[in-house]
């Protein structure tokens, strides 16, 4: 019996040490909670809130939340957001999937140990290949926007337009994307063209 307990403990330690186990647990839990315990969000453009708190494991050497943790928290909140508004279900029904193709972050003020915050996620729009989302990290102490993240969720196996049409049962045009987001999209395309040229690839070859 003792040997079995030691083996289970060793497996648990290996899981969390080698496979980033906490993250692999949090994402499916966030998705299940969004699907089973929270009401469905019918408005694709509605903002959704995901609560968080800065834990000791989130800190860097300066004793504030590590910049990489913002991306991790935004990832969990985005998965919950897409599950609750039905996008993940629509992708599954269409035999498709979505992958993160690009992201950018602005850090405006540090979040400190045990500070409570919300990740407020919203869908900004879509084009023929990807959804564009925004995540705002709001300090619950004073409502300050501590960080702002934008992400490009590339759709594989179908198109964002078909996903939205599947959800809304009709064709829906994307809202106009914010001007700063359009600049970022143009930058990404210019960067892709340069990298394709460096690799000797044709312009026909597109990034995933």
């Amino acid at each position: 019996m003792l040997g079995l307990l030691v083996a289970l403990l060793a497996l648990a330690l290996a899981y969390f040490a080698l496979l980033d186990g906490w993250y692999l647990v949090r994402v499916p839990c966030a998705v299940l909670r969004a699907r089973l315990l929270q009401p469905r969000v019918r408005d694709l453009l509605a903002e959704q809130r995901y609560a968080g708190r800065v834990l000791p494991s989130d800190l860097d050497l300066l004793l504030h939340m590590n910049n990489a943790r913002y991306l991790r928290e935004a990832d969990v909140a985005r998965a919950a957001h897409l599950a609750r508004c039905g996008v993940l279900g629509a992708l599954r029904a269409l035999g498709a999937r979505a992958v993160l193709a690009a992201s950018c972050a602005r850090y405006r003020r540090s979040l400190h140990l045990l500070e409570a915050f919300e990740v407020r996620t919203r869908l900004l729009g879509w084009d023929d290949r990807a959804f564009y989302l925004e995540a705002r990290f709001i300090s619950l102490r004073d409502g300050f926007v501590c960080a702002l993240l934008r992400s490009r969720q590339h759709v594989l196996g179908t198109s964002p337009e078909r996903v939205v049409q599947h959800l809304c049962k009709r064709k829906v045009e994307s809202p106009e994307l914010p001007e700063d987001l359009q600049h970022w999209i143009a930058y990404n395309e210019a960067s892709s063209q340069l990298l394709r040229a460096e690799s000797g690839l044709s312009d026909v070859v597109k990034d995933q």
Side-chain angles (χ1 to χ4, degrees):
M1 186 65 178
L2 180 60
L4 179 60
L5 290 176
V6 171
L8 290 175
L9 179 60
L11 284 174
L13 289 174
Y15 175 72
F16 280 92
L18 301 176
L19 296 178
D20 201 0
W22 183 233
Y23 172 72
L24 296 177
V25 168
R26 287 186 66 205
V27 171
C29 285
V31 170
L32 287 174
R33 178 173 179 266
R35 286 177 173 170
L36 302 177
L37 301 179
Q38 296 179 307
R40 171 75 182 275
V41 174
R42 299 292 177 181
D43 182 359
L44 283 177
L45 304 180
E47 180 184 83
Q48 296 185 42
R49 302 184 179 194
Y50 192 89
R53 187 177 295 274
V54 182
L55 301 177
S57 59
D58 297 326
L59 301 179
D60 60 16
L61 293 176
L62 299 178
L63 301 181
H64 57 214
M65 191 155 100
N66 185 283
N67 61 293
R69 288 296 186 183
Y70 289 86
L71 302 176
R72 172 65 56 83
E73 293 301 309
D75 196 26
V76 176
R78 182 171 58 250
H81 177 96
L82 294 176
R84 194 174 173 195
C85 68
V87 170
L88 289 186
L91 287 167
R92 186 175 63 255
L94 295 170
R97 59 192 177 95
V99 296
L100 183 65
S103 64
C104 66
R106 286 189 59 221
Y107 303 102
R108 303 183 66 235
R109 193 180 77 188
S110 298
L111 287 168
H112 297 282
L113 179 62
L114 301 182
E115 185 170 354
F117 62 88
E118 281 184 341
V119 185
R120 299 181 184 176
T121 307
R122 64 189 180 106
L123 177 64
L124 299 175
W126 57 89
D127 58 21
D128 59 340
R129 301 182 68 206
F131 289 109
Y132 297 93
L133 296 100
E134 175 185 275
R136 295 184 175 216
F137 283 72
I138 310 294
S139 170
L140 295 186
R141 175 162 50 89
D142 57 7
F144 190 83
V145 181
C146 295
L148 176 68
L149 282 71
R150 295 276 175 83
S151 63
R152 181 179 190 267
Q153 203 76 16
H154 186 78
V155 176
L156 302 174
T158 187
S159 67
E161 182 181 19
R162 284 193 62 201
V163 173
V164 175
Q165 186 171 353
H166 180 87
L167 284 171
C168 301
K169 309 304 179 187
R170 60 184 176 85
K171 184 175 181 179
V172 179
E173 297 292 334
S174 169
E176 184 177 358
L177 298 176
E179 183 178 358
D180 61 331
L181 181 61
Q182 294 181 40
H183 289 311
W184 182 60
I185 294 171
Y187 157 76
N188 285 329
E189 181 57 34
S191 176
S192 292
Q193 290 179 6
L194 287 173
L195 292 172
R196 287 195 293 269
E198 289 177 7
S199 303
L201 299 176
S202 166
D203 284 342
V204 175
V205 179
K206 293 290 187 180
D207 297 340
Q208 289 191 351

